[in-house]
Structure formats: structure tokens, C-alpha cells
Amino acid sequence: MTTRGLVERTGSTRAALAWIAEREVVDVVIDATASDVRPRALDRAGRRELAAAVKRLGQRVSGLDLLIPAEHFESGATVDRALGALLDAVGLAADLRGFGAAADEPVVCVSMGAEPLGGVLD
């Protein structure tokens, strides 16, 4: 189950995870654009705290949704920031896995649109 949409209703990603846990859902997908879990804003301690919260609830992160508008990968003005966010999300997924709070192969979901700039896919 994904935290997307639930964060607005519950107030935070951790509250959304608790709501999901009450429904006995184990595998969760975190909205990595939510302000309280944005990969670029979480230092190592913040990532460890997130992993601990996930594990306390008996859950595991199976993926991260990275809801960046596809056109940000198509424009020279925004591509660097979009790629930075993508790489940060991949790093967060790896850290959550390393802390034992994620599936063996967590997925980072992103849409790059039909025409990403040259080099983006590389």
C-alpha cells in the first residue's frame, strides 16, 4: 500500500505508516516527495529513524514513489535537480535496505516521459 494521499489525511508519513499497519499491510511504498521523508532532506540519522519506525510497525518498504513531473527530465533548466532527486531516492532505498527496513530489491518509481534529455537514461 502506498503512503501517497494518506500523508495529507494523517499529517505525516509516519502517521500514514501507522494507519497502514493497523490494516495489517506489511509491504509499503513511500511517497518520497513528502516533506518529512524527502531523500535530500534526510541525513543518516533521519534515514535510520525512518527505518526504525518502519520496522517497529512490522512493515518493509517495497518501493519509493518519486513524483517528479516527467517534463523535468526533458528540460535543461530542471534536469540536474530532477536527476539529483532520483539519485537521492535510490540512495534512500539502499539505506533502508541496509538498515533492514526494505525488501531485498526496493523499487524507485519515476516517470521520465517519452523524450528525456540525452544522457538521462544513462
Side-chain angles (χ1 to χ4, degrees):
M1 179 177 272
T2 182
T3 62
R4 187 165 193 265
L6 286 174
V7 173
E8 290 177 15
R9 270 190 12 204
T10 61
S12 72
T13 298
R14 285 169 181 78
L17 291 171
W19 185 91
I20 293 168
E22 289 172 3
R23 280 133 189 93
E24 300 180 1
V25 176
V26 175
D27 289 305
V28 295
V29 176
I30 293 177
D31 175 2
T33 60
S35 62
D36 60 339
V37 293
R38 234 176 244 138
R40 72 171 178 261
L42 286 179
D43 61 8
R44 187 106 173 127
R47 291 170 182 223
R48 191 175 293 116
E49 288 172 18
L50 176 60
V54 167
K55 290 181 355 181
R56 262 192 313 276
L57 292 167
Q59 297 170 321
R60 69 180 183 171
V61 176
S62 58
L64 300 172
D65 278 341
L66 191 58
L67 305 168
I68 298 173
E71 58 269 12
H72 287 201
F73 291 100
E74 299 170 353
S75 167
T78 56
V79 70
D80 285 340
R81 185 169 168 89
L83 281 174
L86 175 56
L87 293 174
D88 288 343
V90 169
L92 175 58
D95 285 345
L96 291 173
R97 180 180 176 206
F99 295 139
D104 288 340
E105 296 184 20
V107 175
V108 176
C109 298
V110 65
S111 174
M112 292 187 185
E115 298 292 328
L117 288 177
V120 167
L121 295 178
D122 295 337

